[in-house]
């Protein structure tokens, strides 16, 4: 079994020839390995030797990547347990149907798209999983979670077709989701196929990070005894190109730190991405190995198929290994594109000894030397090892060919974009995979449906039965849920007794209180990306502890203090460190747990609002696709309320981004009781009423006395607008709207207007412009579609009812946020907002700069009144001066 690595002696002329000495050492070592228990023993001895060499001052750096051969030597493999012949046929039929689905649709509807080459490289990797590994359930517990490369969806549909779960009509309607018959979505989207897909994966990098945090969240639920511990695994099939995304590698060390042996990555290393090679001048597999090993993962390389085993066994000189090592991916691509004769010349031909090694091979046979990722035996053994590996995650780096089996497109740079096959390619495909359909049918790209009673289909079904059923499958597991009554939040509905507090403080107390709720407290998951102290959440750390998979391995220095930094095996809080992306992935695992585990976990993910939607918007989009529930809490919100921090920190637009997510209800509350009402109702709607939605709520760090909830305001708070202070002296002739702390500026403006200018104004708190807009658009749509029916009126107009005069809306967000309702208010509506880059200064100066302070609101109200002839224009001009408004100053938009 022992192999000599090609050894290069030092180039020095006078140096002795060391190769013999090296051979002797290797031989002795081989004897040790071959002795009884020698395998483990020799590994330990090597380690001890390496430590000793280091102590003696020798610089023996241990390489982070291993030779370019399979990690599991052939001699250690177990035989394949399945019926290879049937499995090969099944796989071939799936390959054909997957290809036909895309081909077909693009012939019918040019440009509709779809992918052939990704699945053709992935097929064997997933088929071995479907036939032997992926469990659909563990007793009454959910089974494995499988994240599949999004672009491989046709293959997954094609399998479900053979399983009898999808009909031919489904396949006919791949990417035709808007027809009267059932359609199939382009990629895995739980929103679109809620009974099929569990995890959205198609945006590159989202799947790897979500898979890691899913596996971690599984441990969290187990450690907290919310679900029983099972051997359940998270499998993530990802592309080698996809691994370039920062999200894909950014959280790898968490997986090893948290010892996630429930996590298996399979990287489909077809060496190519969309445009061409991932690493043409290097080797992506070696690079990935180094990254994963460096991050503490167990790495299994599956590079070479069984045909290579005898060649490697004869490679006494190590030249074959050397050749494998020295070729870069660009050359490996060449071999696949150009075929056997080229391989003989360029790969083996470089060394006469290697040319000799394959002298008996025909060119055709050389062309058929498979890579490991297409060899069931190699894949099976890799998966088996991965399952047996304890105390950490495993990655399988499987070498494959992109476009495998697709005649003229195999391994070519353009293969990713291949949508239609030529007649010739279809025939080649048919012949190569022995598809039992007629030539004419093949030309059409017809689907192949095997007879229901053929042994292959019986086998396929039986294998799935043994593993607990079909997968992927999304089924909303039923759960009981009772929302606590609003009285449970009573203390937050009262005033703060003149004590100045911030909405953030109010929220944190509410969260602490909710965590103690006897029934649902256990389901609450506070998540922070290293911002607990920023939000005053440190008391939570002590109250519920931070989840640490191994507990706290040291006695913290502050142990004697009341609020010490408590980490625990069953800690309830997820302190993710500085990773908003990771925190969002945790939020995603928690927010979809109601479905994946049947447990109504309620995430509260609190983050710096500037680093939320703007930074991790795509993860939030995927969260919505996954029908995620929970609360995103944007802290230190507002471009002028977060004082001092300046341009990169002051958020004035997250609400705009949140508005675009269909299932996200975004609120910008001014008072603690508003937050209490919104959270209470949110919990009820999401978990009791089972609505698939989530909330974005901004919270601020400005302290001011909080008033109490007034009777009759609840509906307005939830729907987006309600009156907080009616004009004291007579009927208001101008309306002032404020959100968040800017509501205080509106209230101050109300005083100035009445005391300095004798103008009565009403003040409204607008908790959500986007909810108002959605409601308005809904009414409008209904009216448009039902011209003969009585017209519906948007809630906004009902709320404002006979409110008179100009309406001035001031926000700590950009003007487009209030502008969402401009449409219904016409010229009456005047908007003040914080468009432009932030500045480091205090609130007073920031609000003056952005023209959202009480003076700016007063000035706008007077201007507006002057325009409609209700206030003298010259007096208005003078008022602006009196209010210290610099009318000639540069627009803050570009200042
Ligand atoms: C975030 C993101 N950027 C770009 C794309 C477009 N895209 C789709 S597939 C692909 C290449 C994928 O390469 P790889 O991950 O190696 O998968 P393969 O198809 O080779 O298996 C790209 C860039 C995307 N889906 N998501
Ligand atoms: Mg690839």
């Amino acid at each position: 079994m022992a192999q000599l690595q090609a050894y290069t002696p030092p180039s020095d002329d006078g140096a002795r020839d060391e190769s013999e000495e090296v051979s002797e050492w290797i031989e002795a070592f081989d004897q040790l390995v071959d002795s009884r228990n020698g395998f483990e023993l020799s590994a330990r001895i090597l380690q001890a030797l390496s430590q000793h060499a280091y102590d003696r001052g020798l610089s023996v750096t241990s390489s982070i990547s291993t030779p370019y051969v399979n990690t599991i030597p052939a001699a250690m493999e177990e035989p394949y347990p399945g019926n290879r012949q049937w499995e090969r046929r099944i796989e071939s039929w799936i390959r054909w149907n997957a290809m036909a689905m895309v081909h077909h649709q693009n012939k019918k509807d040019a440009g509709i798209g779809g992918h052939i080459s990704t699945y053709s490289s992935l097929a064997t990797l997933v088929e071995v999983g479907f036939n032997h590994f992926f469990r659909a359930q563990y007793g009454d517990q959910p089974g494995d979670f499988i994240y599949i490369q999004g672009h491989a969806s046709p293959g997954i549909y094609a399998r479900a077709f053979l399983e009898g779960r999808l009909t031919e009509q489904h396949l006919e309607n791949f990417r035709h989701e808007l027809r009267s018959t059932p359609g199939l979505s382009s990629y895995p989207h739980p929103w679109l196929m809620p009974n099929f897909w569990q995890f959205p994966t198609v945006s590159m990098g989202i799947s790897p990070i979500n898979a890691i945090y899913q596996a971690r969240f599984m441990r969290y639920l187990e450690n907290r005894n919310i679900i029983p511990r099972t051997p359940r695994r998270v499998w993530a099939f990802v592309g080698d190109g996809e691994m370039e995304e920062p999200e894909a590698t950014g959280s790898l060390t968490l997986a090893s730190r948290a010892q996630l042996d429930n996590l298996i990555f399979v990287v489909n290393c077809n060496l190519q991405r969309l445009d061409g090679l991932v690493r043409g001048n290097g080797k992506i597999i070696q690079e990935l190995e180094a990254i994963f090993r460096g991050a503490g993962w167990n790495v299994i390389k599956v590079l070479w198929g069984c045909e290579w085993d005898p060649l490697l066994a004869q490679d006494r000189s190590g030249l074959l290994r050397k050749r494998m090592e020295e070729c870069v991916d660009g050359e490996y691509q060449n071999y696949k594109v150009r075929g056997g004769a080229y391989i003989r010349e360029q790969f083996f031909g470089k060394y006469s000894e290697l040319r000799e090694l394959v002298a008996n091979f025909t060119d055709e046979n050389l062309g058929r030397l498979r890579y490991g990722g297409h060899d069931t035996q190699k894949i099976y053994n890799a998966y088996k090892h991965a399952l047996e590996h304890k105390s950490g995650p495993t990655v399988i780096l499987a070498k494959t060919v992109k476009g495998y089996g697709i005649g003229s497109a195999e391994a070519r740079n353009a293969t990713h974009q291949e949508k239609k096959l030529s007649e010739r390619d279809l025939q080649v495909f048919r012949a190569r995979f022995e598809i039992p359909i007629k030539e004419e049918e093949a030309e059409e790209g017809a689907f192949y449906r095997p007879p229901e009673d053929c042994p292959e289909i019986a086998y396929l079904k039986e294998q799935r039965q043994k593993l607990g059923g079909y997968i992927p499958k999304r089924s909303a597991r039923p759960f009981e849920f009772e929302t606590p009554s609003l009285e449970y939040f009573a203390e937050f509905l009262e005033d703060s007794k003149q004590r100045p507090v911030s909405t953030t403080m109010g929220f944190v107390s509410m969260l602490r209180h909710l965590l103690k709720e006897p029934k649902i407290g256990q389901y609450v998951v506070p998540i922070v990306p290293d911002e607990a102290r920023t939000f005053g959440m440190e008391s939570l750390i002590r109250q519920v502890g931070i989840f640490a998979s191994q507990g706290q391995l040291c006695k913290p220095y502050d142990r004697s203090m009341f609020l010490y930094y408590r980490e625990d095996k069953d800690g309830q809080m997820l302190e993710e460190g500085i990773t908003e992306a990771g925190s969002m992935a945790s939020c995603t695992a928690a927010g979809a747990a109601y479905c994946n585990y049947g447990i109504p976990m309620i995430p509260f993910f609190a983050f710096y609002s500037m680093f939320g939607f703007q930074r991790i918007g795509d993860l939030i989009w995927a969260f919505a696709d996954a029908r995620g529930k929970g609360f995103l809490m944007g802290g230190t919100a507002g471009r002028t309320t977060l004082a001092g921090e300046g341009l990169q920190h002051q958020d004035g637009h997250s609400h705009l981004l949140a508005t675009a997510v269909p299932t996200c209800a975004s609120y910008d509350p001014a008072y603690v009781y508003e937050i209490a009402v919104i959270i209470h109702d949110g919990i009820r709607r999401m978990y009791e009423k089972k609505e698939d939605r989530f909330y974005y709520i901004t919270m601020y760090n400005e302290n001011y006395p909080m008033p109490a909830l007034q009777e009759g305001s609840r509906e307005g708070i939830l729907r987006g607008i309600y009156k907080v202070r009616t004009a004291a002296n007579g009927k208001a002739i101008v309306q002032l709207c404020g959100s968040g702390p800017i509501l205080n500026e509106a209230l101050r403006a109300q005083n100035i207007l009445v005391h300095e200018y004798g103008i009565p104004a009403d003040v409204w708190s607008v908790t959500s412009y986007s909810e108002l807009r959605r409601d308005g658009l809904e009414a409008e749509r209904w009216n448009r579609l039902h011209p003969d029916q009585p017209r519906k009126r948007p809630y906004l107009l009902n709320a404002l009812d006979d409110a008179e005069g100009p309406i001035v809306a001031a926000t700590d967000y950009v003007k487009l946020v209030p502008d969402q309702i401009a449409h219904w208010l016409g010229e009456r509506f005047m908007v003040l907002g914080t468009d432009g880059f932030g500045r480091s200064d205090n609130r007073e100066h920031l609000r003056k700069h952005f023209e959202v302070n009480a003076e700016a609101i007063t000035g706008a109200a007077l201007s507006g009144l002057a325009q409609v002839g209700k206030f003298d224009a010259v007096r208005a001009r003078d008022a602006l001066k009196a209010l210290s408004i610099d009318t000639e100053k540069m627009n803050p938009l570009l200042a």
Side-chain angles (χ1 to χ4, degrees):
M1 185 207 301
Q3 298 292 343
L4 255 182
Q5 290 299 312
Y7 171 71
T8 319
S11 55
D12 240 65
D13 275 352
R16 58 180 176 159
D17 181 2
E18 296 165 355
S19 50
E20 206 168 307
E21 217 169 328
V22 172
S23 298
E24 279 170 21
W25 277 97
I26 289 182
E27 223 162 277
F29 184 73
D30 275 352
Q31 282 171 16
L32 180 66
V33 175
D34 294 337
S35 66
R36 208 165 139 258
N37 295 334
F39 216 73
E40 292 80 17
L41 178 65
S42 43
R44 282 197 295 275
I45 288 178
L46 267 188
Q47 253 165 12
L49 265 178
S50 150
Q51 174 67 42
H52 182 68
Y54 186 81
D55 292 346
R56 293 284 312 265
L58 271 75
S59 65
V60 271
T61 45
S62 66
S63 167
I64 200 131
S65 56
T66 59
Y68 202 61
V69 290
N70 293 346
T71 305
I72 304 169
M76 285 181 66
E77 283 171 13
E78 279 192 17
Y80 194 67
N83 183 322
R84 296 179 79 160
Q85 199 186 8
W86 286 346
E87 287 187 21
R88 184 178 184 279
R89 269 189 220 135
I90 293 167
E91 185 183 309
S92 299
W93 301 341
I94 295 175
R95 281 175 181 280
W96 173 267
N97 285 336
M99 176 278 297
M101 198 182 312
V102 180
H103 172 85
H104 221 69
Q105 211 59 322
N106 282 276
K107 272 188 102 171
K108 198 159 67 180
D109 191 350
I112 198 74
H115 300 82
I116 298 175
S117 60
T118 300
Y119 179 72
S120 52
S121 59
L122 183 73
T124 317
L125 289 166
V126 283
E127 275 306 295
V128 172
F130 281 120
N131 284 320
H132 302 284
F133 290 93
F134 304 158
R135 295 194 64 109
Q137 59 190 61
Y138 290 91
D140 64 347
Q141 285 298 304
D144 297 329
F145 293 157
I146 322 281
Y147 292 72
I148 292 167
Q149 277 184 282
H151 298 76
S153 61
I156 309 305
Y157 294 139
R159 168 166 254 272
F161 173 63
L162 290 193
E163 290 167 344
R165 296 201 289 153
L166 295 178
T167 63
E168 197 156 330
Q169 215 170 20
H170 277 106
L171 306 201
E172 292 271 359
N173 273 333
F174 171 59
R175 290 191 174 222
H176 274 186
E177 292 184 271
L178 301 175
R179 315 297 159 114
S180 53
T181 42
L184 295 177
S185 62
S186 49
Y187 303 117
H189 294 301
W191 185 263
L192 304 174
M193 294 178 64
N195 300 319
F196 193 86
W197 295 115
Q198 265 181 302
F199 307 108
T201 54
V202 79
S203 172
M204 306 272 106
I206 299 258
S207 148
I209 193 169
N210 274 341
I212 291 174
Y213 283 86
Q214 181 70 260
R216 206 291 217 85
F217 194 70
M218 200 180 275
R219 290 284 181 256
Y220 169 91
L221 292 176
E222 289 167 354
N223 282 12
R224 291 191 52 217
N225 287 323
I226 292 177
I227 58 169
R229 211 177 174 104
T230 62
R232 185 190 301 135
R233 296 292 196 299
V234 175
W235 295 77
F237 289 83
V238 300
D240 47 358
E242 178 170 20
M243 288 308 300
E244 291 185 303
E245 286 284 4
E247 289 90 344
T249 49
S251 295
L252 292 183
T253 53
L254 169 74
S256 46
R257 239 179 305 134
Q259 303 187 341
L260 300 179
D261 49 16
N262 56 349
L263 177 65
I264 299 168
F265 268 29
V266 180
V267 187
N268 173 12
C269 296
N270 54 27
L271 314 185
Q272 291 173 241
R273 37 173 144 87
L274 194 152
D275 285 340
L277 287 156
V278 186
R279 292 288 181 273
N281 302 320
K283 286 208 281 296
I284 184 61
I285 293 176
Q286 297 301 84
E287 186 176 325
L288 288 175
E289 177 183 31
I291 291 171
F292 277 97
R293 278 165 66 96
W297 285 52
N298 173 39
V299 179
I300 302 176
K301 290 195 290 193
V302 182
L303 307 186
W304 311 103
C306 293
E307 300 82 7
W308 291 87
D309 289 339
L311 296 175
L312 283 162
Q314 292 168 58
D315 182 34
R316 297 296 304 173
S317 66
L319 266 183
L320 178 55
R321 284 171 170 73
K322 180 173 153 66
R323 188 73 192 115
M324 288 168 163
E325 198 85 42
E326 66 194 13
C327 285
V328 293
D329 287 352
E331 289 173 292
Y332 282 113
Q333 182 186 28
N334 257 316
Y335 303 142
K336 282 297 153 197
V337 173
R338 294 175 196 268
Y342 184 86
I343 295 173
R344 184 187 309 282
E345 282 312 308
Q346 299 299 320
F347 181 78
F348 293 102
K350 177 154 182 197
Y351 303 111
S352 53
E353 195 181 314
L354 291 190
R355 187 190 284 274
E356 208 38 45
L357 191 67
V358 292
N360 293 338
F361 281 63
T362 61
D363 286 349
E364 201 184 343
N365 286 342
L366 285 183
R368 283 202 180 151
L369 288 170
R370 277 176 311 167
Y371 289 158
H374 298 294
D375 186 329
T376 47
Q377 161 91 5
K378 303 289 179 196
I379 297 167
Y380 174 81
N381 277 279
Y383 289 0
K384 189 165 173 295
H385 272 246
L387 289 191
E388 286 162 2
H389 182 72
K390 292 275 170 283
S391 322
T394 292
V395 61
I396 291 158
L397 301 173
K399 186 161 167 154
T400 58
V401 179
K402 191 151 178 166
Y404 185 76
I406 303 177
S408 62
E410 187 171 286
R412 313 245 164 186
N413 281 336
T415 189
H416 189 88
Q417 304 296 75
E418 204 65 42
K419 318 277 173 216
K420 274 183 291 192
L421 265 55
S422 66
E423 277 175 19
R424 199 187 120 66
D425 278 344
L426 285 168
Q427 295 304 354
V428 170
F429 196 120
R430 169 181 160 272
R432 175 163 179 179
F433 293 107
E434 296 166 21
I435 310 299
I437 57 176
K438 299 196 190 93
E439 235 171 81
E440 314 86 78
E441 287 174 327
E443 259 164 43
E444 288 289 298
F447 298 124
Y448 173 63
R449 182 189 266 294
E452 227 6 71
D453 56 357
C454 71
E456 291 87 349
I457 293 297
Y459 174 81
L460 168 143
K461 291 185 173 174
E462 196 182 302
Q463 292 304 100
R464 284 315 312 162
Q465 234 160 30
K466 280 192 228 160
L467 291 162
Y470 296 119
I471 207 169
K473 187 174 172 205
R474 182 182 181 279
S475 50
R477 300 171 77 86
F479 59 85
E480 293 286 311
F481 193 89
E482 199 183 312
T483 315
S485 72
L486 189 58
E487 276 76 69
Y488 186 74
F489 295 88
E491 64 180 284
F492 308 102
L493 306 177
E494 287 161 12
D495 64 37
S496 64
K497 309 202 170 40
Q498 288 310 307
R499 195 169 68 94
V501 293
S502 66
T503 47
T504 307
M505 286 161 74
F507 161 70
V508 174
S509 313
M510 215 177 297
L511 186 59
R512 261 203 320 266
H513 187 63
L514 201 56
L515 282 157
K516 292 183 198 148
E517 209 280 336
K519 281 194 185 138
I520 68 164
Q522 58 171 325
Y523 300 138
V524 173
V525 188
I527 305 170
V528 281
D530 199 37
E531 295 291 355
R533 287 177 209 282
T534 314
F535 303 139
M537 289 167 86
E538 53 273 43
S539 60
L540 282 185
I541 299 178
R542 173 70 179 84
Q543 183 186 333
V544 295
I546 289 171
F547 172 72
S549 55
Q550 299 159 71
Q552 198 152 28
L553 301 179
C554 60
K555 187 174 169 196
Y557 85 91
D558 55 355
R559 179 68 186 83
S560 57
M561 288 153 78
F562 179 66
L563 288 181
Y564 78 98
Y565 198 81
R566 182 162 86 88
E567 292 181 291
D568 226 324
K569 265 190 173 158
D570 61 357
Q572 192 164 351
M573 182 169 179
L574 292 172
E575 159 61 89
E576 301 296 15
I578 311 172
T579 166
E580 283 77 13
S583 307
M584 191 59 220
S586 266
C587 182
T588 303
Y594 73 91
C595 173
N596 294 330
Y597 303 93
I599 311 279
M601 303 305 291
I602 312 171
F604 283 88
F605 170 26
F607 52 89
Y608 236 110
S609 69
M610 190 65 156
F611 308 130
F613 278 84
Q614 172 174 279
R615 191 181 182 110
I616 50 161
D618 201 26
L619 278 156
I620 298 176
W621 188 250
F623 176 65
D625 184 351
R627 296 171 176 261
K629 301 178 196 272
F631 296 93
L632 307 187
M633 305 297 301
T636 57
R639 192 155 279 159
T640 69
T641 306
L642 174 57
E645 291 292 334
L647 185 153
Q648 196 86 51
H649 286 71
Q650 290 161 344
D651 164 38
H653 52 281
S654 61
H655 275 290
L656 206 55
L657 305 173
T659 289
V661 183
T663 55
C664 176
S666 56
Y667 285 92
D668 191 15
Y671 296 134
V672 170
Y673 68 76
E674 292 178 358
I675 299 190
V677 165
I678 295 162
I679 288 182
H680 172 261
D681 191 62
I683 292 176
R684 184 187 67 83
R685 288 184 65 171
M686 291 187 288
Y687 295 92
E688 196 175 306
K689 297 281 163 211
K690 315 267 189 288
E691 292 180 34
D692 289 335
R693 65 198 325 252
F694 68 98
Y695 288 73
Y696 176 53
I697 304 175
T698 35
M699 48 187 196
Y700 296 80
N701 62 5
E702 183 170 353
N703 296 323
Y704 43 88
M706 293 290 159
L709 172 68
Q710 299 165 29
E711 220 178 292
S713 308
R714 195 173 158 274
E715 187 186 4
I717 294 171
L718 295 172
R719 301 197 65 172
I721 187 169
Y722 70 103
K723 199 185 286 182
V724 286
R725 200 159 77 192
T726 308
N729 313 49
K731 182 163 166 46
I733 58 162
V734 63
Q735 313 297 323
L736 309 178
C737 296
S739 309
I742 300 300
L743 179 63
N744 292 322
E745 299 294 330
L747 288 166
R748 200 154 66 79
Q750 184 190 39
N751 282 336
I752 301 174
L753 278 167
V754 72
H755 292 130
E756 306 288 327
Y757 304 98
I759 306 278
D762 287 342
V763 177
W764 305 75
S765 172
V766 181
T767 50
S768 178
Y769 285 102
S770 89
E771 287 298 288
L772 288 175
R773 176 175 176 79
R774 285 175 184 173
D775 170 79
L777 290 179
E778 181 62 39
E780 220 168 54
R781 176 172 180 273
W782 197 91
N783 293 340
R784 193 171 69 239
L785 298 173
H786 304 87
D788 58 333
Q789 311 265 326
R791 292 176 72 75
K792 288 195 175 174
R793 199 159 179 239
Y795 179 81
L796 169 72
L797 297 182
N798 279 340
L800 287 173
D801 198 22
D802 60 347
E804 218 179 274
I807 302 169
V808 182
T811 171
D812 221 359
Y813 280 79
V814 291
K815 298 183 179 83
L816 263 174
V817 173
D819 268 348
Q820 292 180 86
I821 59 166
H823 174 64
W824 291 278
L825 302 176
E827 287 191 355
R828 291 172 74 189
F829 198 49
M830 305 169 78
V831 177
L832 303 177
T834 58
D835 301 52
F837 288 121
R839 286 288 195 289
S840 41
D841 211 314
N842 64 18
R843 289 184 189 124
E844 186 190 335
H845 282 84
L846 286 168
R847 287 175 186 168
K848 185 169 182 186
H849 170 78
F850 281 106
E851 302 163 5
V852 292
N853 58 3
E855 288 73 17
I857 298 171
T858 308
L862 295 175
S863 266
L865 286 168
Q867 262 176 38
V868 291
K870 297 230 168 123
F871 194 76
D872 180 66
V874 175
R875 219 181 134 205
R877 184 199 64 193
D878 293 344
L880 294 183
K881 196 170 280 171
L883 290 162
S884 303
I885 293 170
D886 178 356
T887 54
E888 304 316 309
K889 117 177 183 316
M890 190 182 175
N891 182 346
L893 173 69
L894 290 177

